[in-house]
Amino acid sequence: AQSVAQPEDQVNVAEGNPLTVKCTYSVSGNPYLFWYVQYPNRGLQFLLKYITGDNLVKGSYGFEAEFNKSQTSFHLKKPSALVSDSALYFCAVRDFGNQGGKLIFGQGTELSVKP
Amino acid sequence: ETGVTQSPTHLIKTRGQQVTLRCSSQSGHNTVSWYQQALGQGPQFIFQYYREEENGRGNFPPRFSGLQFPNYSSELNVNALELDDSALYLCASSSTRTTYGYTFGSGTRLTVV
């Protein structure tokens, strides 16, 4: 079965420092991977996706993610964190099984960026 | 290009009641899916609709049901509400003609008391 894991419940970073939010996946076949961000009492906002191609994917708001097939990881990164980046981040994998396709989400990582 | 809109934004229901949540898909999208996000959890897939028929379902009981209309909007119905149904319900639309992108609405916060 497809799954994703986010090993850190919370990540704390100082403003201006680089940030990394970790995600590992388990899929059969080629993975379709996504990162979403959720602000309090809001829905999910798409950040970026990996379908195929370059292992470094660039997305919205200066975020990027590195796909590593050998380590089955898809870590989210940003060179310089902003206080406004503080939110809940979800990694997800597309499951194409016999259910018409769905997203399987990790448990989420709370990112806190302090001034 | 309009996004995904959900209504209502919040509601409170009593255990045993029934509730209907609504979702308008993003323009150009023909598929809609629903997710339940309990507090502190990631979203869990409930079901998906394409061409007005359910074409995928997660591990949710039959009292969770849905509809998709010709204009691709959708409803999620939950009967015999239980306290554990309290959650944020997210609707996502997508298109079979594009590269796997999903657009999520802001969700409906359901509280069952």
Side-chain angles (χ1 to χ4, degrees):
Chain A
Q2 324 276 50
S3 66
V4 292
Q6 295 179 241
E8 301 158 317
D9 290 336
Q10 186 161 13
V11 170
N12 297 307
V13 177
E15 188 175 31
N17 284 359
L19 69 87
T20 298
V21 183
K22 296 180 180 177
C23 172
T24 59
Y25 65 88
S26 174
V27 303
S28 54
N30 294 321
Y32 291 75
L33 296 159
F34 301 79
W35 275 102
Y36 286 86
V37 60
Q38 186 176 39
Y39 295 96
N41 299 314
R42 301 296 300 277
L44 300 175
Q45 294 181 28
F46 171 79
L47 284 178
L48 50 80
K49 67 179 184 286
Y50 173 82
I51 305 299
T52 187
D54 289 342
N55 290 340
L56 186 63
V57 179
K58 294 191 180 297
S60 306
Y61 313 119
F63 283 93
E64 58 189 26
E66 186 171 10
F67 172 69
N68 188 316
K69 189 173 183 177
S70 63
Q71 297 185 3
T72 62
S73 67
F74 188 55
H75 300 332
L76 181 70
K77 300 182 179 184
K78 188 174 183 180
S80 179
L82 300 173
V83 172
S84 57
D85 293 330
S86 298
L88 188 56
Y89 290 79
F90 289 99
C91 180
V93 64
R94 177 77 183 260
D95 182 352
F96 286 94
N98 59 1
Q99 295 187 350
K102 65 179 181 182
L103 289 176
I104 298 172
F105 287 88
Q107 289 290 91
T109 298
E110 185 81 41
L111 173 66
S112 177
V113 182
K114 300 296 186 185
Chain B
E1 178 178 272
T2 59
V4 175
T5 57
Q6 293 186 241
S7 63
T9 54
H10 298 81
L11 76 165
I12 300 173
K13 289 287 189 178
T14 302
R15 188 172 55 181
Q17 285 187 315
Q18 178 266 343
V19 69
T20 297
L21 311 182
R22 294 178 174 84
C23 171
S24 294
S25 302
Q26 177 169 314
S27 176
H29 284 185
N30 56 12
T31 301
V32 64
S33 50
W34 287 89
Y35 291 79
Q36 181 195 66
Q37 185 180 11
L39 199 61
Q41 304 289 320
Q44 299 290 317
F45 175 73
I46 302 175
F47 45 54
Q48 178 172 282
Y49 278 81
Y50 172 64
R51 291 185 174 179
E52 302 177 47
E53 290 193 0
E54 183 182 297
N55 74 337
R57 189 176 185 91
N59 189 26
F60 281 82
R63 59 190 185 83
F64 286 78
S65 63
L67 287 172
Q68 185 184 31
F69 299 100
N71 65 354
Y72 306 122
S73 65
S74 176
E75 287 182 356
L76 163 66
N77 299 290
V78 186
N79 293 321
L81 283 167
E82 301 177 359
L83 297 179
D84 285 349
D85 295 333
S86 296
L88 180 68
Y89 288 85
L90 297 165
C91 172
S93 71
S94 58
S95 171
T96 53
R97 296 181 290 270
T98 61
T99 55
Y100 314 105
Y102 292 81
T103 302
F104 282 83
S106 294
T108 294
R109 173 72 63 185
L110 172 64
T111 302
V112 183
V113 298

